[in-house]
Amino acid sequence: MEVQEERQSFDDGDEDPKEEQPEVVEELQQKLQEVELGGRDAKVLRFLDSVDDYLTLIESLSSTLRQGWLELASARHSMGASRISTVLLDLKVHSAATSLHVDYGDSVEGRPHFTLCKWVSSKNRKCSPEDENHRENKLHPQLRYRGNLQLHEETLPQDRATHKVDDQVEKERKKSLSVFGALVSPKLRAAQLTFEGALETLVEIANMRAAMLSAFDQVQKELGGTQG
Amino acid sequence: MYGFEAMTFNIHGGYLEAIVRGYRSGLLTAADYNNLCQCETLDDIKMHLSATEYGPYLQNEPSPLHTTTIVEKCTLKLVDEYKHMLCQATEPLSTFLEYITYGHMIDNVVLIVTGTLHERDVQELLEKCHPLGMFDSIASLAVAQNMRELYRLVLVDTPLAPYFSECITSEDLDDMNIEIMRNTLYKAYLEDFYRFCQKLGGATAEIMSDLLAFEADRRAVNITINSIGTELTRDDRRKLYSNFGLLYPYGHEELAVCEDIDQVRAAMEKYPPYQSIFSRLSYGESQMLDKAFYEEEVKRLCLAFEQQFHYAVFFAYMRLREQEIRNLMWISECVAQNQKSRVHDSVVFIF
């Protein structure tokens, strides 16, 4: 009864939940879950959800990598084995075009957060706005559509910066492919994009694994507390 | 009949024409490809190929096999056959056979120069060169810093020397310069080969003109598609197209200004032989274009064997074997990656 009343009050609330900040909504939903199901069950559910997401991401990575390898083979078939070969890779010292940052600073429940900075020289440590916006969308997937709309409204004045970033990213992409020649097949470019997507999925997997391990720790603590 | 080739061709070319027609009968058939496409592992592919002419080249290869090993050994067979024909040939057939390898020579030069620019070991690069394109001083290419040195130190004594006149500069070699050098050399080579075949006359000139014109047109389309969205200017793009072929000169003018695949399609569909190729593709798609071009090329190469007493059969045989090796490479990759459902994406049946 209490649960139903609380749900009704939540539904009849003056404010539309979709208009509130994503963190607040998530917190409310978690509280609702906990009230409905009891604290321990909510944590177990959270753990199982994170395991499910983790396994889904692993499968997505596997499929993306399969596609990438086949596209690379297709590019070799099209351009010739001598044009796409490991002997053409550049051994000169150069800065990494993509880097991974691990953030322990503002972590929730002590878990690390991984961020990919794509196509940004290591001299410029700050991630591009494109990556930061992408990160926000990944953290709140259920509000992704809404988040994008907000983002669109907010970035209208920043269109120039966005275009500049896009041009820079495109330039870095072409530069990394130029080891195979200045005029490469569209199949090789497609393979590059696919492997780029796989790299993003890998970072998501790392974050999801951190979340999963954290949820598991909480479940264990709960079980330990109950038994004690 | 174009002249009186039937009366005199067999004096010098009869033996080798018979040899090349015998080699042609050893090309893999549709039944062979069906068996290969059903293989589960690369060892199965090796087992199926052991019953073909590739058998002796693969039998001593230890497991586990790699796709590059299969391609390497199959290429060795082609090289052995070519060398047998070359050592038996007299002029002008010997020059004709040498022309067939200049494309590989250009690829090897670019491989060595690019690898050296990326600070790779020369021995490592030499191992990856195509055997048909090797020449004595190829290792010295690693010393050159610009095209002028490349020409002066090494290439002046090779068959590629005449093709360098259009691209000698003192600019240091970088990725774009090397790409322009590659395409400029190949353009000069194709035009020289075309003129040589025209001088030979008869059925050779007729058939080779058609085959080389197709090659020139295909290169123009590939250069256009690959240069979309790059720094290559329209003028530079236009300079890389050969000065012959069905698309020369009006098709080239249209291709030079294309900014996407649909514009390329619009330019090509005005030419009936290429309309049939592009009609098989959906709008905005270029993935299957390579296969469509290969299929058309194979059709024309097979037709070369329908006439006698000309040299185009040698060119056609070499190109058909190269296509067969590409097929084997693709089948091996699909089997190795456990993607057999995609095997028919790029296999072109010859018979």
Side-chain angles (χ1 to χ4, degrees):
Chain A
M1 198 57 133
E2 275 182 18
V3 167
Q4 287 173 357
E5 283 174 0
E6 284 204 20
R7 188 197 287 279
Q8 199 170 1
S9 70
F10 184 78
D11 287 342
D12 292 344
D14 291 333
E15 291 176 358
D16 185 350
K18 287 184 183 174
E19 289 180 358
E20 297 185 16
Q21 293 299 318
E23 295 91 350
V24 172
V25 172
E26 191 180 340
E27 202 183 313
L28 279 172
Q29 283 183 340
Q30 280 178 6
K31 266 193 180 168
L32 181 64
Q33 259 186 339
E34 284 175 15
V35 165
E36 284 182 354
L37 303 167
R40 185 175 68 184
D41 289 345
K43 286 177 184 164
V44 169
L45 270 178
R46 208 179 311 148
F47 168 65
L48 291 175
D49 281 341
S50 60
V51 170
D52 182 53
D53 290 341
Y54 178 75
L55 292 174
T56 306
L57 283 171
I58 293 273
E59 201 179 315
S60 163
L61 175 70
S62 169
S63 136
T64 306
L65 284 175
R66 268 168 69 84
Q67 185 187 340
W69 285 119
L70 193 71
E71 281 169 352
L72 188 61
S74 180
R76 286 191 88 212
H77 177 269
S78 168
M79 290 172 64
S82 65
R83 290 199 61 187
I84 299 182
S85 170
T86 49
V87 295
L88 291 173
L89 296 175
D90 199 344
L91 288 185
K92 284 190 282 198
V93 174
H94 54 276
S95 57
T98 296
S99 55
L100 180 71
H101 293 211
V102 184
D103 187 6
Y104 291 95
D106 57 349
S107 60
V108 176
E109 296 149 351
R111 68 174 193 243
H113 185 82
F114 301 92
T115 313
L116 192 68
C117 290
K118 285 193 315 183
W119 305 118
V120 174
S121 165
S122 61
K123 290 177 190 171
N124 179 10
R125 289 282 172 193
K126 192 176 169 186
C127 291
S128 65
E130 181 188 71
D131 293 309
E132 286 180 352
N133 292 334
H134 187 66
R135 178 188 158 186
E136 281 183 21
N137 290 338
K138 291 291 178 191
L139 285 175
H140 306 288
Q142 66 273 32
L143 293 177
R144 184 171 297 165
Y145 176 74
R146 176 74 186 171
N148 275 340
L149 272 182
Q150 285 180 342
L151 213 61
H152 180 66
E153 288 162 9
E154 285 166 9
T155 57
L156 274 177
Q158 298 172 12
D159 270 351
R160 273 185 217 164
T162 311
H163 282 312
K164 201 175 169 187
V165 164
D166 287 343
D167 286 342
Q168 178 67 19
V169 164
E170 209 44 53
K171 208 171 158 187
E172 290 290 329
R173 274 199 188 112
K174 280 176 197 160
K175 192 178 161 191
S176 81
L177 270 191
S178 65
V179 292
F180 301 116
L183 303 181
V184 296
S185 164
K187 292 179 183 177
L188 189 64
R189 294 190 198 132
Q192 183 186 39
L193 286 174
T194 304
F195 282 120
E196 213 177 292
L199 195 57
E200 288 168 11
T201 308
L202 272 169
V203 172
E204 281 182 58
I205 286 174
N207 283 326
M208 190 53 63
R209 186 179 167 86
M212 185 177 70
L213 291 173
S214 165
F216 180 66
D217 284 341
Q218 287 187 10
V219 167
Q220 274 201 315
K221 275 183 202 162
E222 190 73 27
L223 286 175
T226 309
Q227 284 169 2
Chain B
M1 286 303 187
Y2 300 89
F4 294 94
E5 290 126 346
M7 293 172 61
T8 55
F9 185 88
N10 281 345
I11 297 169
H12 296 290
Y15 167 68
L16 283 176
E17 186 180 347
I19 290 285
V20 82
R21 284 179 184 273
Y23 286 156
R24 176 223 187 223
S25 66
L27 287 166
L28 297 179
T29 61
D32 291 320
Y33 284 119
N34 283 335
N35 288 338
L36 289 168
C37 292
Q38 287 169 18
C39 291
E40 293 289 332
T41 63
L42 294 180
D43 286 322
D44 288 345
I45 289 180
K46 176 183 160 184
M47 189 187 70
H48 280 288
L49 288 178
S50 64
T52 67
E53 292 183 0
Y54 292 113
Y57 292 85
L58 284 168
Q59 65 187 10
N60 294 328
E61 288 306 310
S63 297
L65 271 182
H66 198 268
T67 53
T68 48
T69 311
I70 293 176
V71 170
E72 212 175 280
K73 296 302 168 191
C74 294
T75 305
L76 276 181
K77 177 189 177 325
L78 174 64
V79 172
D80 286 346
E81 288 174 350
Y82 172 80
K83 284 180 177 168
H84 174 75
M85 291 192 292
L86 185 63
C87 71
Q88 300 281 340
T90 58
E91 286 291 342
L93 178 58
S94 55
T95 302
F96 183 91
L97 288 173
E98 283 169 1
Y99 264 105
I100 296 174
T101 64
Y102 292 170
H104 294 298
M105 224 179 262
I106 292 169
D107 288 339
N108 287 350
V109 166
V110 173
L111 175 69
I112 301 277
V113 168
T114 306
T116 306
L117 195 68
H118 298 157
E119 295 186 5
R120 303 303 299 241
D121 181 48
V122 174
Q123 283 310 314
E124 207 182 6
L125 296 168
L126 288 174
E127 283 166 19
K128 289 289 182 180
C129 287
H130 197 289
L132 282 178
M134 296 299 279
F135 52 92
D136 290 335
S137 51
I138 192 170
S140 316
L141 286 168
V143 171
Q145 298 293 321
N146 56 50
M147 286 183 229
R148 203 174 288 279
E149 281 183 13
L150 207 63
Y151 174 76
R152 191 173 56 84
L153 294 175
V154 185
L155 297 173
V156 65
D157 295 322
T158 67
L160 301 181
Y163 309 146
F164 254 78
S165 58
E166 290 182 40
C167 57
I168 293 184
T169 66
S170 298
E171 285 178 30
D172 278 351
L173 294 163
D174 64 24
D175 293 320
M176 182 52 90
N177 288 345
I178 290 174
E179 193 68 39
I180 292 178
M181 179 182 79
R182 180 210 304 273
N183 286 288
T184 307
L185 285 176
Y186 209 93
K187 170 190 168 180
Y189 152 63
L190 273 185
E191 287 171 0
D192 189 34
F193 197 4
Y194 184 82
R195 281 191 295 270
F196 176 76
C197 294
Q198 292 291 310
K199 259 193 270 182
L200 291 175
T204 302
E206 178 81 15
I207 299 168
M208 283 303 297
S209 296
D210 177 62
L211 294 174
L212 291 176
F214 181 80
E215 176 71 16
D217 292 342
R218 181 174 60 178
R219 283 192 68 84
V221 171
N222 283 338
I223 286 169
T224 307
I225 291 174
N226 293 350
S227 62
I228 289 171
T230 67
E231 296 164 0
L232 195 71
T233 63
R234 289 176 178 183
D235 284 337
D236 284 342
R237 189 197 281 180
R238 175 70 187 81
K239 284 180 199 165
L240 299 181
Y241 299 149
S242 299
N243 293 331
F244 68 100
L246 190 60
L247 297 177
Y248 174 78
Y250 305 112
H252 288 170
E253 295 301 327
E254 290 190 51
L255 284 178
V257 299
C258 288
E259 298 292 340
D260 59 49
I261 185 71
D262 289 330
Q263 289 179 16
V264 172
R265 182 196 200 99
M268 296 296 287
E269 280 184 338
K270 293 173 186 164
Y271 299 87
Y274 303 121
Q275 190 184 23
S276 59
I277 291 175
F278 279 83
S279 63
R280 292 181 234 166
L281 310 175
S282 33
Y283 280 92
E285 184 218 346
S286 66
Q287 299 288 328
M288 302 305 286
L289 185 61
D290 283 329
K291 184 178 177 185
F293 268 116
Y294 284 138
E295 282 172 344
E296 179 66 23
E297 186 190 23
V298 162
K299 216 187 302 177
R300 293 175 186 226
L301 293 170
C302 289
L303 283 175
F305 286 92
E306 297 299 315
Q307 288 188 54
Q308 280 185 278
F309 313 127
H310 61 88
Y311 294 156
V313 287
F314 298 97
F315 178 83
Y317 173 71
M318 296 294 288
R319 285 300 173 95
L320 286 172
R321 271 290 180 201
E322 284 168 6
Q323 179 60 50
E324 186 173 271
I325 291 171
R326 267 196 296 275
N327 287 343
L328 288 174
M329 189 221 89
W330 180 251
I331 293 171
S332 304
E333 285 285 352
C334 288
V335 165
Q337 293 184 27
N338 200 18
Q339 299 241 37
K340 288 197 316 186
S341 58
R342 303 289 298 273
V343 77
H344 292 289
D345 283 3
S346 293
V347 171
V348 176
F349 294 105
I350 295 172
F351 296 115

